[in-house]
């Protein structure tokens, strides 16, 4: 039930904001709006105010604004309050305002989330200098070594770990060029990212980790860690000579050795030490009796700084969205990464369970995607209608109905193919359905 309600809320808000943009712009330029509907039929609530019917449909999968004389095949009277009676500039304002409102909503929601305060891994904004190369990983097979500075992925520069992980994550099972800086020399490498774990979404990984390590937050009195001499604020560098990067690596290493001695390499007051400890057996797993934390930074910006960071982040995300779209065209990006309504519903439910901040973050991301995708020059979308008007402006004449119908049909085919792809992807992420797909 939480998933359904969260999905209806997220999609309802995004569609409402999008259609509200069209509605307000239409009113502003003097177009008569016949209907403003949120959701699809059957209609649940409907009322009239002035010339407009306002209604809510039972299916929260979209919405629309119907304007007088909007389509060439509508019965038109030539009145000045009809859509096609307006100038191309006025029609452009009406069409563009839907996507603009979604992009604006993404900026506002991101600002709200940032203003609440954000805690993130400290390495994310640091240069991508390799700390650990996972044994047997694509990176190890491509002669990428600890200490290498990754400078580019697929010909595009990466300045932070966050940028690097996003660039690699969008290219699973596809060979990609990596640029390295080693001892002052630039070295090219070819590597094919593999898919991370059993994630529902195909995320590429080459097996490189930053040079960070978890620290001990607290020690349980009388536990195995205290007996071994482990103290709060100790930084765990390795277990049995295997490097430890994140807290979950340490938890896994401890859990594998119940009632078995392990050797921890730690950093205490700037000095390396080795400590022998024997995890206690709890069930089938080992426990040391410590609380572990990763190295994080907390950001609590003011309103102005939150707005600035929001703009910067959304510009970066927009760039990534366009790169992904271009990657789909050039086949550098896997279409399996696309998600549809089922996946959005799942993510909405999971985010709602984490709280309002997580849900607002998801809404911001989807809203930005919705706004940018609607600007694509594909007939049927807002950007497609704008594109057609632009071509008519360049040709200094309006296209015939037959030409427009062919263009809209082509756009419809593209959108239909995209919908089939994302729905197929969604179904493959549901385990019990995937079992009926022997080709997977």
């Amino acid at each position: 039930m939480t998933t359904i309600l969260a999905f209806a809320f997220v999609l309802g808000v995004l569609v409402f904001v999008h259609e509200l943009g069209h509605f307000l712009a239409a009113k502003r330029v003097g177009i008569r709006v016949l209907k403003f509907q949120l959701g699809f039929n059957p209609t649940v609530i409907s009322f009239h105010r002035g010339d407009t019917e306002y209604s809510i449909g039972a299916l929260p999968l979209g919405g629309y604004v119907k304007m007088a004389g909007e389509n060439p095949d509508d019965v038109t009277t030539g009145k000045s309050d009809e859509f096609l009676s307006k100038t191309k500039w006025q029609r452009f304002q009406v069409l563009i305002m839907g996507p603009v409102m979604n992009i604006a909503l993404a900026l506002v929601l991101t600002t709200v989330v940032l203003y609440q305060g954000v805690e993130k891994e400290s390495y994310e904004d640091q240069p991508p200098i390799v700390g650990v190369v996972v044994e047997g990983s694509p990176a190890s097979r491509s002669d990428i070594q600890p200490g290498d500075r990754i400078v580019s992925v697929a010909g595009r520069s990466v300045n932070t770990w966050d940028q690097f992980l996003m660039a690699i994550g969008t290219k699973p099972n596809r060979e990609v060029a990596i640029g390295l800086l080693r001892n002052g020399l630039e070295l090219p490498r070819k590597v094919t990212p593999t898919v991370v774990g059993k994630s529902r979404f195909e995320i590429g990984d080459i097996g490189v980790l930053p040079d960070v390590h978890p620290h001990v937050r607290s020690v349980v009195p009388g536990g195995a860690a205290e007996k071994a001499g482990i103290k709060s604020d100790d930084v765990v560098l390795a277990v049995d000579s295997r490097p430890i990067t994140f807290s979950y690596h340490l938890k896994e290493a401890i859990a594998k050795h119940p009632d078995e001695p392990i050797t921890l390499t730690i950093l205490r007051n700037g000095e390396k030490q080795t400590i022998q400890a024997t995890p206690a057996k709890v069930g089938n797993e080992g426990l040391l009796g410590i609380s572990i934390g990763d190295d994080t930074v907390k950001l609590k910006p003011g309103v102005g700084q939150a707005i600035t960071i929001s703009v910067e982040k959304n510009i970066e995300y927009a760039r990534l969205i366009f790169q992904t779209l271009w990657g789909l065209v050039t086949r550098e990006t896997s279409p399996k990464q696309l998600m549809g309504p089922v996946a959005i519903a799942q993510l909405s439910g999971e985010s709602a369970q984490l709280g309002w901040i997580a849900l607002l973050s998801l809404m911001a991301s989807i809203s930005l995607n919705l706004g940018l995708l609607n600007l694509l020059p594909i007939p049927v979308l807002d950007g497609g209608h704008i594109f057609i008007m632009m071509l008519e402006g360049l040709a200094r004449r309006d296209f015939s109905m037959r030409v427009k119908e062919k263009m809209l049909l082509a756009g419809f085919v593209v959108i239909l193919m995209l919908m089939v792809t994302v729905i197929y992807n969604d179904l493959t992420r549901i385990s019990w359905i995937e079992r009926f797909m022997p080709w997977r």
Side-chain angles (χ1 to χ4, degrees), residues 136-440:
S137 66
S140 68
R141 295 191 293 270
S142 300
D143 187 37
I144 296 177
Q145 302 175 10
D148 288 346
R149 162 69 158 92
I150 299 173
V151 295
S152 66
V153 175
R156 298 186 180 92
S157 62
V158 289
N159 300 314
T160 66
W161 272 101
D162 194 34
Q163 291 178 0
F164 164 74
L165 293 173
M166 285 195 293
I168 284 295
T170 57
K171 295 175 175 60
N173 302 319
R174 282 162 167 73
E175 187 179 71
V176 61
I178 301 285
L180 304 176
L181 192 62
R182 180 186 298 171
N183 299 323
L185 297 176
E186 290 192 17
L187 303 174
R189 292 289 184 267
K190 294 284 187 179
V191 61
T192 302
T194 55
V195 177
V196 178
K198 296 181 179 180
S199 172
R200 288 173 298 174
F201 309 100
E202 282 202 350
I203 301 174
D205 177 49
I206 65 171
V208 295
L209 301 171
D211 188 18
V212 295
H213 308 280
H215 61 273
V216 178
R217 288 177 174 170
S218 61
V219 179
V220 177
E226 186 181 61
K227 293 176 182 177
I230 298 173
K231 299 180 179 180
S232 297
D233 297 326
D234 283 349
V235 178
V236 182
L237 305 178
V239 172
D240 292 335
S241 299
R242 297 183 69 88
I244 298 296
T245 303
F246 300 119
S247 58
Y248 71 87
H249 292 147
L250 180 55
K251 291 176 183 176
E252 290 173 355
I254 294 170
K256 290 177 181 177
H257 298 88
D259 287 337
E260 297 176 5
I262 58 175
T263 301
L264 290 88
T265 304
I266 66 166
L267 191 67
R268 181 182 296 170
N269 299 323
E271 295 183 1
K272 278 188 180 182
Q273 299 183 25
T274 57
I275 294 179
Q276 295 285 333
T278 303
K281 186 174 183 179
V282 179
N284 295 321
E285 297 185 344
L287 288 177
L288 274 181
I290 55 176
S291 173
I292 313 166
D294 291 308
D295 190 13
T296 61
V297 293
K298 293 183 178 180
L299 179 67
K300 187 65 172 73
V303 176
Q305 189 181 8
I307 293 173
T308 301
I309 298 174
S310 174
V311 172
E312 292 173 351
K313 281 188 170 295
N314 278 283
I315 290 175
E316 185 175 350
Y317 294 153
R319 179 178 59 82
L320 179 63
I321 290 169
F322 286 125
Q323 284 181 5
T324 301
L325 291 171
W326 180 246
L328 290 172
V329 175
T330 60
R331 304 188 68 179
E332 292 180 7
T333 300
S334 171
K336 293 180 181 179
Q337 292 189 316
L338 300 177
M339 64 180 184
V342 177
I344 293 174
Q346 291 176 325
L347 290 175
S348 298
E350 293 167 2
S351 299
Q353 292 175 351
L354 295 173
W356 280 103
I357 297 302
L359 188 61
L360 293 180
S361 296
L362 176 66
M363 286 178 63
S365 176
I366 298 175
S367 189
L368 180 65
N369 275 270
L370 183 61
L372 294 177
L373 292 178
N374 262 286
L375 289 176
L376 293 178
I378 300 175
V380 178
L381 300 179
D382 294 325
H385 290 294
I386 292 172
F387 181 65
I388 291 173
M389 282 201 310
M390 183 185 73
L391 293 179
E392 289 178 333
L394 292 174
R396 297 181 180 276
R397 63 181 180 82
D398 288 345
F399 297 146
S400 67
M401 267 295 298
R402 186 176 180 182
V403 170
K404 288 184 178 180
E405 284 176 355
K406 288 182 177 180
M407 297 174 76
L408 291 173
L409 179 60
F412 177 76
V413 170
V414 172
I415 296 300
L416 184 61
M417 292 172 59
L418 182 62
M419 287 301 299
V420 170
T421 300
V422 299
I423 291 174
Y424 173 79
N425 288 346
D426 285 355
L427 294 178
T428 61
R429 295 176 186 128
I430 301 174
S431 57
W432 69 268
I433 293 180
E434 188 180 20
R435 287 198 292 268
F436 292 97
M437 300 177 178
W439 59 88
R440 293 274 305 168

Side-chain angles (χ1 to χ4, degrees), residues 12-259:
V13 170
L14 299 186
V15 171
F16 172 76
V17 168
H18 181 93
E19 299 303 334
L20 182 64
H22 292 313
F23 175 80
L24 294 177
K27 288 288 189 180
R28 181 180 175 276
V29 299
I31 296 174
R32 180 162 40 95
V33 178
L34 303 177
K35 191 170 186 177
F36 185 145
Q37 175 151 329
L38 180 63
F40 293 137
N41 292 331
T43 301
V44 177
I45 300 173
S46 178
F47 64 92
H48 282 82
R49 185 172 180 181
D51 295 323
T52 308
E53 177 188 357
Y54 301 87
S55 59
I56 297 177
L59 299 177
L61 297 176
Y64 62 92
V65 169
K66 181 172 178 56
M67 294 169 277
E70 180 179 2
N71 298 312
D73 54 350
D74 287 345
V75 177
T76 57
T77 62
K79 291 183 179 179
S80 61
D81 62 357
E82 293 179 342
F83 181 79
L84 292 176
S85 297
K86 299 299 179 180
T87 65
K88 285 183 169 58
W89 168 241
Q90 290 173 319
R91 282 181 275 162
F92 168 80
Q93 294 177 58
V94 175
L95 293 169
I96 198 72
M97 277 306 296
V100 166
M101 287 286 279
N102 279 127
I103 295 171
L105 178 63
L107 291 169
V108 171
L109 292 178
T110 305
T111 300
V112 171
V113 170
L114 289 169
Y115 185 68
Q116 302 305 310
V118 177
E119 184 175 4
K120 61 180 181 179
E121 303 282 356
S122 59
Y123 73 90
E124 291 181 12
D125 292 329
Q126 296 175 359
I129 299 174
V130 179
V132 176
V133 177
V134 178
E135 186 178 347
S137 66
S140 68
R141 295 191 293 270
S142 300
D143 187 37
I144 296 177
Q145 302 175 10
D148 288 346
R149 162 69 158 92
I150 299 173
V151 295
S152 66
V153 175
R156 298 186 180 92
S157 62
V158 289
N159 300 314
T160 66
W161 272 101
D162 194 34
Q163 291 178 0
F164 164 74
L165 293 173
M166 285 195 293
I168 284 295
T170 57
K171 295 175 175 60
N173 302 319
R174 282 162 167 73
E175 187 179 71
V176 61
I178 301 285
L180 304 176
L181 192 62
R182 180 186 298 171
N183 299 323
L185 297 176
E186 290 192 17
L187 303 174
R189 292 289 184 267
K190 294 284 187 179
V191 61
T192 302
T194 55
V195 177
V196 178
K198 296 181 179 180
S199 172
R200 288 173 298 174
F201 309 100
E202 282 202 350
I203 301 174
D205 177 49
I206 65 171
V208 295
L209 301 171
D211 188 18
V212 295
H213 308 280
H215 61 273
V216 178
R217 288 177 174 170
S218 61
V219 179
V220 177
E226 186 181 61
K227 293 176 182 177
I230 298 173
K231 299 180 179 180
S232 297
D233 297 326
D234 283 349
V235 178
V236 182
L237 305 178
V239 172
D240 292 335
S241 299
R242 297 183 69 88
I244 298 296
T245 303
F246 300 119
S247 58
Y248 71 87
H249 292 147
L250 180 55
K251 291 176 183 176
E252 290 173 355
I254 294 170
K256 290 177 181 177
H257 298 88
D259 287 337

